[in-house]
Amino acid sequence: MRKITLMSATTGYTRRLLAAAMLLALAGCSTTEVASLEEPTAAPMTGQTNDPAPGFENVAAGSEEDFILNVGRRIYFKQDSAALDSVAMATLDNQANWLNRNPTWLLKLQGFADDSGSASKMETLSQKRADAAMAYLASKGVDTKRMWAKGYGNDREVRDCTERSCKVQNRRVVTNLRTQPDAV
């Protein structure tokens, strides 16, 4: 019995010694040479809040990527409501400013809802949300001929969930830029 205990202790000690040796060997490795070959050098950062995110330094002004990264394309709503809150209006103000500077883009406003009511009620509510966003953008000078709104109800949930904090992700309007109107 004593022989088995001694063997177990030796095996455990050997394993720990091997693990320590491996860690020391890994600590001596350097990946900076590999990283410099695989990743482009990052643009110098000025420390300003408007510095581009790494990997997005070359986003063209007026592009769809510019809109998504710098303006935002989603607004959110309270349950059973199509009323715009101050956060949604701030995002829509940014969208309107950007769209007025880039008049060649068309936009489709897609409204969505969670599953807190019947399918027909949620489809109606999602249409009201898309219409509210479109009316707000129009009030800020975006030509209504450039926009159309479609409510999808809860058919296209971002997340299928029951928690209140999760469901808010489904109560949204997404502004999608287009170069031409959707086919009917």
Side-chain angles (χ1 to χ4, degrees):
M1 176 113 161
R2 183 177 169 158
K3 187 175 183 179
I4 294 173
T5 306
L6 184 59
M7 188 184 289
S8 300
T10 304
T11 304
Y13 176 76
T14 304
R15 285 185 181 162
R16 286 192 295 271
L17 187 60
L18 182 60
M22 290 173 68
L23 283 173
L24 284 172
L26 286 173
C29 292
S30 174
T31 59
T32 55
E33 298 85 21
V34 174
S36 66
L37 295 173
E38 293 177 355
E39 296 179 22
T41 56
M45 302 301 272
T46 64
Q48 301 298 312
T49 57
N50 60 349
D51 279 341
F56 295 98
E57 297 88 359
N58 298 321
V59 171
S63 67
E64 188 171 9
E65 292 85 5
D66 176 41
F67 182 80
I68 293 167
L69 288 170
N70 298 313
V71 177
R73 63 183 210 158
R74 293 176 189 225
I75 59 172
Y76 298 93
F77 295 83
K78 293 182 181 173
Q79 185 171 347
D80 296 325
S81 174
L84 300 170
D85 64 13
S86 61
V87 175
M89 285 188 272
T91 299
L92 290 170
D93 287 339
N94 290 335
Q95 288 182 6
N97 290 333
W98 190 93
L99 290 162
N100 288 328
R101 285 191 317 270
N102 298 282
T104 58
W105 286 106
L106 304 175
L107 58 148
K108 179 178 185 178
L109 297 152
Q110 297 177 297
F112 302 95
D114 61 20
D115 60 358
S116 61
S118 69
S120 63
K121 178 183 174 191
M122 293 299 101
E123 188 170 332
T124 300
L125 179 58
S126 66
Q127 184 66 49
K128 287 180 181 178
R129 289 173 174 166
D131 290 340
M134 190 166 87
Y136 190 87
L137 289 170
S139 77
K140 297 297 180 176
V142 179
D143 187 352
T144 57
K145 294 176 189 154
R146 296 173 57 196
M147 303 183 277
W148 63 100
K150 171 74 175 143
Y152 290 94
N154 61 350
D155 286 343
R156 301 180 186 184
E157 291 182 318
V158 173
R159 299 205 39 213
D160 182 16
C161 54
T162 56
E163 299 87 35
R164 183 176 175 196
S165 61
C166 175
K167 285 188 172 218
V168 72
Q169 297 174 46
N170 295 322
R171 300 189 299 261
R172 69 199 188 281
V173 167
V174 179
T175 303
N176 288 298
L177 299 180
R178 300 281 197 259
T179 56
Q180 59 188 10
D182 287 351
V184 179

